[in-house]
């Protein structure tokens, strides 16, 4: 077994030198830029990340800029990427770094993986990626891609979701990397191999793989039987009725609570369950609005990691407010549609309804 791990760094670094993907964040050793790219890549495909990465790092080019960014702007820059807690944790970490280091100079991410892991939102994978790519520290970055490759190489029957499987992979790779002169290239090579050759869920491209002669799953012609994965918990279903309430060029928005799912983001008013036209009209009236017209919109659904939203929606045109007095106290407000698109971070769960505003 040890022999297999010993051979990985040399094989992967050689392959990576000839096959690396050219990506906007490749070629940099700026730990801040590596950090941003790694957090974005945890949730979205490479192609989708590219424009987000460029926009985010142009506006927030370093730790100080991230620490100082107003919350609404930060969430707007992240809009569409989902998992907003990740960017909040990044800002929390940036603020800690500025607090600790700014009096002595520019704030920077530490090179020690253990110190990186103490920052909010940085786990062993991200710490390994930052330390190895930016600082050339000999530490692995083990994510689902790497676990899949290792499971196939060893035809490993163990459940890849188990923490013990990941810990073992980390410690074996840690040992194997001690003689590697380019640990950052090794980790990026494993990422590229997982993304382009040892593909998830489908038949991998073993004929292009630099590890094919070492691979037990390939020898057994059972590549897609690995990794073995326990069944994920079913998502909880939530039904909601979305209210697209409009007054000319304006639309009613509310803000979500500061904690929990999609914390602090803006959204269209919504009600639990599927409501009838009559119930929706009653709600609009209770909001002190004068509905002129109502139409039912298409149903939609959105998947979060643990919850599935099933949505129905209504567009309601309003004449205005029945009394000016209650408006200031209302938990909702009318926003210009153009302003909403530019300034208010709206979760992509509402995309299916935001399109009716265009
Ligand atoms: S030989 Fe095939 S299954 Fe094995 S690691 Fe390479 S691509 Fe994956």
């Amino acid at each position: 077994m040890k022999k297999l791990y010993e051979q990985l760094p040399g094989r992967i670094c050689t392959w990576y030198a000839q096959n690396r993907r050219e990506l906007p964040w490749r070629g940099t050793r700026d730990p801040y830029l590596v950090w941003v790219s790694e957090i974005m890549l945890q949730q979205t495909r490479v192609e989708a990340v590219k424009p987000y990465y460029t926009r985010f790092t142009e506006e927030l080019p370093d730790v100080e800029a991230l620490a100082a960014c107003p919350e609404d702007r930060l969430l707007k820059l992240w809009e569409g990427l989902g998992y907003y807690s990740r960017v909040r944790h990044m800002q929390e970490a940036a603020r800690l770094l500025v607090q600790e280091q700014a009096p002595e100079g520019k704030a920077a991410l530490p090179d020690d993986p253990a110190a990186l892991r103490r920052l909010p939102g940085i786990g062993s994978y991200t710490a390994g990626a930052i330390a190895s790519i930016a600082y050339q520290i000999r530490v692995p970055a083990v994510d689902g891609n790497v676990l899949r490759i290792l499971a196939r190489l060893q035809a490993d029957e163990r459940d890849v979701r188990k923490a013990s499987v990941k810990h073992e992979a980390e410690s074996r790779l840690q040992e194997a990397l001690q003689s590697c002169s380019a640990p950052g290239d090794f980790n990026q090579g494993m990422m590229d191999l997982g993304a382009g050759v040892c593909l998830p869920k489908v038949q991998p491209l073993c004929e292009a793989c630099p590890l094919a002669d070492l691979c037990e799953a390939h020898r057994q012609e059972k590549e897609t039987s690995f990794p073995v994965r326990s069944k994920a918990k079913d998502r909880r279903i939530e039904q909601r009725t979305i209210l697209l309430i409009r007054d000319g060029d304006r639309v009613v928005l509310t803000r979500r609570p500061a904690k929990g799912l999609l914390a602090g983001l803006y959204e269209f008013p919504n009600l639990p369950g599927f409501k009838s036209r009559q119930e929706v009209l009653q709600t609009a009236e209770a909001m002190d609005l004068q509905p002129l017209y109502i139409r039912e919109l298409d149903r939609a659904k959105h998947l979060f990691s643990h919850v599935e939203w099933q949505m129905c929606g209504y567009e309601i045109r309003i004449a205005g407010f029945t009394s000016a007095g209650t408006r200031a106290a209302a938990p909702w407000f009318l926003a210009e549609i153009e302003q909403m698109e530019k300034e208010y971070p709206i979760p992509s769960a509402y995309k299916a309804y935001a399109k009716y505003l265009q």
Side-chain angles (χ1 to χ4, degrees), residues 242 256 262 266-268 270 309 346-354:
I242 312 299
R256 290 184 64 83
L262 307 172
Y266 294 84
E267 64 181 358
F268 306 119
N270 54 85
W309 275 8
I346 310 275
S348 35
Y350 292 99
K351 219 168 160 183
Y353 293 100

Side-chain angles (χ1 to χ4, degrees), residues 149 152-153 193 197-199 204-206 209 211-212 215 217-218 223:
I149 296 169
R152 286 174 173 170
L153 284 172
L193 190 73
V197 178
C198 197
L199 304 167
L205 311 176
C206 302
C209 178
L211 309 174
C215 182
H218 183 51
E223 295 91 340

Side-chain angles (χ1 to χ4, degrees), residues 269-289:
N270 54 85
L271 304 166
F274 287 157
K275 302 294 186 205
S276 66
R277 268 167 197 261
Q278 200 48 40
E279 288 169 310
V280 166
L281 287 172
Q282 280 165 2
T283 301
E285 279 160 13
M287 288 168 76
D288 206 19
L289 303 167

Side-chain angles (χ1 to χ4, degrees), residues 195-305:
V197 178
C198 197
L199 304 167
K201 293 180 188 150
V202 295
Q203 182 63 37
L205 311 176
C206 302
E207 65 286 358
C209 178
L211 309 174
D213 62 307
L214 303 173
C215 182
E216 186 56 23
H218 183 51
R219 193 188 66 75
Q220 295 176 13
E221 297 182 11
K222 285 170 69 182
E223 295 91 340
T224 52
S225 303
F226 302 97
V228 174
R229 202 179 280 274
S230 58
K231 196 175 173 290
K233 268 194 185 166
D234 286 339
R235 290 187 178 90
R236 189 178 75 245
I237 307 265
E238 279 184 19
Q239 293 179 329
R240 310 193 81 79
T241 301
I242 312 299
L243 310 184
L244 210 59
I245 305 172
R246 304 182 60 172
D247 161 20
D249 291 333
R250 299 182 299 171
V251 64
V252 173
L253 293 181
T254 64
R255 194 163 194 196
R256 290 184 64 83
K259 291 218 178 315
L261 183 70
L262 307 172
L265 297 178
Y266 294 84
E267 64 181 358
F268 306 119
N270 54 85
L271 304 166
F274 287 157
K275 302 294 186 205
S276 66
R277 268 167 197 261
Q278 200 48 40
E279 288 169 310
V280 166
L281 287 172
Q282 280 165 2
T283 301
E285 279 160 13
M287 288 168 76
D288 206 19
L289 303 167
Q290 296 171 11
L292 292 176
Y293 155 94
I294 180 166
R295 87 171 157 122
E296 199 167 341
L297 305 173
D298 287 342
R299 293 205 170 189
K301 74 173 176 183
H302 186 82
L303 303 180
F304 298 95
S305 49

